[in-house]
């Protein structure tokens, strides 16, 4: 059933108000140079939906475009076609706003924020810079294809300006396209609320959007920090300990990485042009020369900001989840957690009574050295694949031990956070016993299981020798992080 025009408009306003709340929360972070926000700001041209007021830097101006059907891309026709017969095109509107706002040598950042994707088949739009989200750097930074050059000329002619003037604007226009709908934005708002010590449940997030809605309804366009603090108190939104959010963009980027406490971007370091294909680094030395140090630096940064609770999220494979758990380890007096299947799994959750039973098969003696290999089977039984890999390798492994959930691996073998803690503690104890029995100087660790389980196991991984993690190449394996003992 399709929405009426009024229903679609209401959804768009709700989306805009949640986006405004997301940025208003920045005023509560002393590390931010933000004093408040304006909604439907006066004198801001076409980028008046949300304006972020800055103390010293130029204000940020956003146009928020929500589509009930977010599948239709923002293409060249959208940029160059007026919405009404006598109106102006979006490109002309942005240009007029740029002219209006650029004064005294200050070039304000502008942004288009929408759940509609960008048409990357267009030769101009395909040159969006992956890090800044703008078009200017790549349009001016190299030799353009003939199609891109013609497209850029068409845009400049549409405005009646020189290409250099157009590129100056495009350097400062961030295209935040393809953003998730309400639920995706709510996730990012929840992260930000937790970081400043507010409740971060779904009801609290909705209360934040309602606060903006109430201000707009009352005709109040400007919201400063003092008003924000008063509204938070009135709505009873305080109550949680502050929690940092660390996003690791391993095999795919996270549209809500901006604004979290720490965001790491490793996507371009992996081979492959699709998340499913990204399993190996282009340079394998980066596992320990770059990725692991970045996790360790993230932990130092979080602690320097005074956080002792950390939520980890992002698109990454199991070795990275394990390594994140190690970085935010139990010995650092940090409590770590993630969202697994809609539940919060965290190291502050008590283990299930009696723990979680695991089956340990009879060790396979390989006799190739004094190191220990461990295969952890939670969702799938990987023991045969790991054993085959070890037998074909030249690794100095003397013993292989397979540890599986009882009664058998499955997608529901670890049902909740308490069971996950019980599993992690049981696995660590089995590995400790095997290390003592063999005197192993190194552990080779292979994993199959939920991300939250790997995170918690890494968090508890101490008093153990150096541990080599492996990426599942399906088929085969490749070394990943080496965790020093």
């Amino acid at each position: 059933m399709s929405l009426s025009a009024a229903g679609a408009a209401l959804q768009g306003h709700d989306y805009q108000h949640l986006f405004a709340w997301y940025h208003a929360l920045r005023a509560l972070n002393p590390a931010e140079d933000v004093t408040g926000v304006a909604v439907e700001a006066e004198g801001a041209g076409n980028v008046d939906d949300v304006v972020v007021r800055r103390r010293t830097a130029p204000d940020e101006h956003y146009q928020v475009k929500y589509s009930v059907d977010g599948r239709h891309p923002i293409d060249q026709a959208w940029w160059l076609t007026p919405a009404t017969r006598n109106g102006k095109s979006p490109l002309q509107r942005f240009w007029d706003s740029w002219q209006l706002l650029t004064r005294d040598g200050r070039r304000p950042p502008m942004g288009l924020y929408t759940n509609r994707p960008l048409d990357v088949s267009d030769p101009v739009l395909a040159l969006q810079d992956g890090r800044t989200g703008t078009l200017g750097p790549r349009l001016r930074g190299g030799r353009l294809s003939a199609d891109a050059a013609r497209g850029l000329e068409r845009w400049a002619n549409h405005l009646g300006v020189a290409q250099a003037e157009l590129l100056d604007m495009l350097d400062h226009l961030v295209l935040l396209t393809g953003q998730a709908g309400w639920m995706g934005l709510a996730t990012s708002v929840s992260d930000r609320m937790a970081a400043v010590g507010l409740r971060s449940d779904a009801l609290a997030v909705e209360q934040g959007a309602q606060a903006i809605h109430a201000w707009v309804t009352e005709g109040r366009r400007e919201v400063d920090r003092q008003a924000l603090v008063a509204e938070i108190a009135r709505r009873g939104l305080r109550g949680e300990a502050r929690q940092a959010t660390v996003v690791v963009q391993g095999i795919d980027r996270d549209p809500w990485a901006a604004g979290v406490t720490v965001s790491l971007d490793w996507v371009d370091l992996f081979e492959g042009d699709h998340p499913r294909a990204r399993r190996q680094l282009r340079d394998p030395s980066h596992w320990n020369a770059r990725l692991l140090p970045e996790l360790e630096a993230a932990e130092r940064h979080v602690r320097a900001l005074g956080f002792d609770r950390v939520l980890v999220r992002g698109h990454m494979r199991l070795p990275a989840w394990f390594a994140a758990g190690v970085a935010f380890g139990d010995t650092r007096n940090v409590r770590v957690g993630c969202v697994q299947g809609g539940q919060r799994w965290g190291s502050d959750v008590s283990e299930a009574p009696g723990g979680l039973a695991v089956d340990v098969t009879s060790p396979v003696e390989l006799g190739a050295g004094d190191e220990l290999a461990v295969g952890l089977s939670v969702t799938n039984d990987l023991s045969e694949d790991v054993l085959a890999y070890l037998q074909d390798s030249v690794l100095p492994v003397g013993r292989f031990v397979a540890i599986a959930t009882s009664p058998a691996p499955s997608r529901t073998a670890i049902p909740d956070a308490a069971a996950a803690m019980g599993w992690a503690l049981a696995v660590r104890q089995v590995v400790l016993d095997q290390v003592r029995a063999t005197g192993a100087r190194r552990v080779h660790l292979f994993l199959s299981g939920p991300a939250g389980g790997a995170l918690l196991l890494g968090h508890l991984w101490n008093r153990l020798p150096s541990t080599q993690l492996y990426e599942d190449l399906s088929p085969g394996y490749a070394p990943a992080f080496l965790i020093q003992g």
Side-chain angles (χ1 to χ4, degrees):
M1 183 175 65
S2 60
L3 282 177
S4 65
L10 286 172
Q11 280 197 6
H13 286 307
D14 288 345
Y15 195 65
Q16 177 185 341
H17 296 158
L18 187 61
F19 181 74
W21 179 253
Y22 169 83
H23 283 286
L25 291 168
R26 294 168 61 186
L28 301 179
N29 184 351
E32 293 260 18
D33 183 35
V34 173
T35 60
V37 298
V39 182
E40 298 176 11
E42 293 182 325
N46 192 51
V47 283
D48 63 341
D49 289 344
V50 176
V51 177
V52 181
R53 300 299 187 197
R54 307 291 298 275
R55 185 174 291 104
T56 56
D59 293 343
E60 302 167 10
H61 296 75
Y62 294 97
Q63 183 184 85
V64 182
K65 287 285 187 183
Y66 178 79
S67 173
V68 174
D69 183 356
R71 294 173 297 177
H72 298 296
I74 298 290
D75 54 17
Q76 185 160 161
W78 181 87
W79 283 101
L80 303 181
T81 304
T84 60
R85 176 172 300 186
N86 296 319
K88 293 187 175 184
S89 69
L91 184 61
Q92 289 170 327
R93 289 177 177 272
F94 277 114
W95 176 257
D96 289 348
S97 301
W98 173 251
Q99 295 291 99
L100 175 68
L101 297 169
T102 302
R103 57 177 70 96
D104 300 326
R106 291 166 69 90
R107 290 170 165 75
M110 302 189 302
L112 169 64
Y113 187 91
T114 178
N115 61 328
R116 293 174 60 180
L118 197 67
D119 180 10
V120 294
S121 67
D122 179 84
V124 173
L125 300 177
L127 295 177
Q128 182 189 28
D129 183 75
R131 294 190 178 275
T132 66
T134 61
L135 293 171
R138 292 185 64 192
L139 282 171
R140 69 165 76 249
R143 185 173 181 178
L144 299 181
S145 68
D147 288 341
R150 283 193 293 269
L152 179 61
E153 182 179 12
R154 183 183 179 192
W155 282 38
N157 290 341
H158 180 73
L159 294 176
V161 302
Q163 288 188 18
E165 295 177 279
L166 170 61
L167 288 172
D168 192 20
M169 182 191 76
L170 294 180
D171 280 338
H172 296 83
L173 176 59
V174 180
L175 305 182
L176 299 166
T177 56
Q179 303 298 312
W182 172 279
M183 292 305 297
L185 179 53
T187 296
S188 192
V189 170
S190 175
D191 291 341
R192 187 158 275 177
M193 292 180 77
V196 294
L198 304 184
R199 287 172 38 219
S200 57
D201 55 273
L203 180 58
V205 170
E206 189 171 339
Q207 284 278 308
Q210 288 175 359
I212 298 293
H213 176 81
W215 281 321
V216 172
T217 302
E218 295 165 3
R220 183 172 187 170
R221 301 189 181 200
E222 297 278 344
V223 179
D224 61 14
R225 187 181 186 280
Q226 183 177 358
L228 182 64
V229 170
E231 188 68 14
I232 285 168
R234 190 180 75 81
R235 292 179 179 265
L237 294 178
R238 289 209 174 272
E240 292 187 354
R242 295 171 65 238
Q243 173 181 273
T245 298
V246 174
V247 172
V248 181
Q249 302 174 93
I251 60 174
D252 198 9
R253 290 193 169 90
D254 188 318
W256 303 104
V260 300
T261 316
V262 178
S263 175
L264 305 179
D265 187 349
W266 300 341
V267 174
D268 292 338
L269 301 179
F270 281 87
E271 295 179 353
D273 56 4
H274 189 276
R276 290 188 178 183
R278 294 182 183 125
R279 295 177 181 271
Q280 297 194 77
L281 292 178
R282 301 180 190 278
D283 182 350
S285 71
H286 280 160
W287 288 112
N288 301 302
R290 176 167 175 177
L291 274 56
L292 200 56
E294 288 189 4
L295 284 171
E296 292 167 347
E299 187 272 338
R300 291 193 296 272
H301 180 69
V302 163
R303 280 198 293 126
L305 293 174
F307 292 101
D308 62 3
R309 298 173 73 242
V310 179
L311 178 76
V312 179
R313 62 179 176 84
H315 305 289
M316 49 184 154
R317 300 196 184 278
L318 294 179
W321 280 103
F322 184 96
V326 172
F328 296 97
D330 186 42
T331 58
R332 309 284 180 102
N333 295 317
V334 175
R335 289 174 290 174
V336 70
C338 68
V339 176
Q340 180 72 51
Q343 304 176 14
R344 182 184 177 277
W345 286 15
S347 60
D348 54 351
V349 176
S350 298
E351 63 181 289
L356 185 73
V358 295
D359 289 333
V360 183
T361 60
S362 298
V364 177
E365 303 297 341
L366 299 175
D370 58 1
E371 298 180 1
L372 173 69
V374 177
L376 302 181
S377 298
V378 177
T379 53
N380 298 291
D381 187 346
L382 50 64
S383 55
E384 289 188 8
D385 290 341
V386 173
L387 189 56
Y389 172 77
L390 293 171
Q391 290 171 335
D392 290 341
S393 74
V394 294
L395 294 173
V397 172
R399 175 181 289 187
F400 168 62
V401 177
I403 305 173
T405 47
S406 181
S410 72
R411 296 181 66 85
T412 58
I414 302 179
D416 53 34
M421 278 299 291
W423 171 82
L425 288 166
V427 166
R428 187 186 66 174
Q429 188 58 55
V430 171
V431 177
L432 276 169
D433 292 342
Q434 289 292 325
V435 168
R436 292 192 186 106
T438 61
R441 297 181 303 170
R442 176 172 291 186
V443 175
H444 298 262
L445 189 61
F446 302 80
L447 302 111
S448 169
L455 179 73
L456 293 177
L457 183 61
H459 177 75
L460 297 171
W461 201 259
N462 56 66
R463 297 173 54 218
L464 286 158
S466 296
T467 301
Q468 176 66 62
L469 298 168
Y470 289 84
E471 278 280 11
D472 182 356
L473 301 183
S474 297
Y477 292 89
F481 297 98
L482 176 62
I483 307 299
Q484 297 295 333

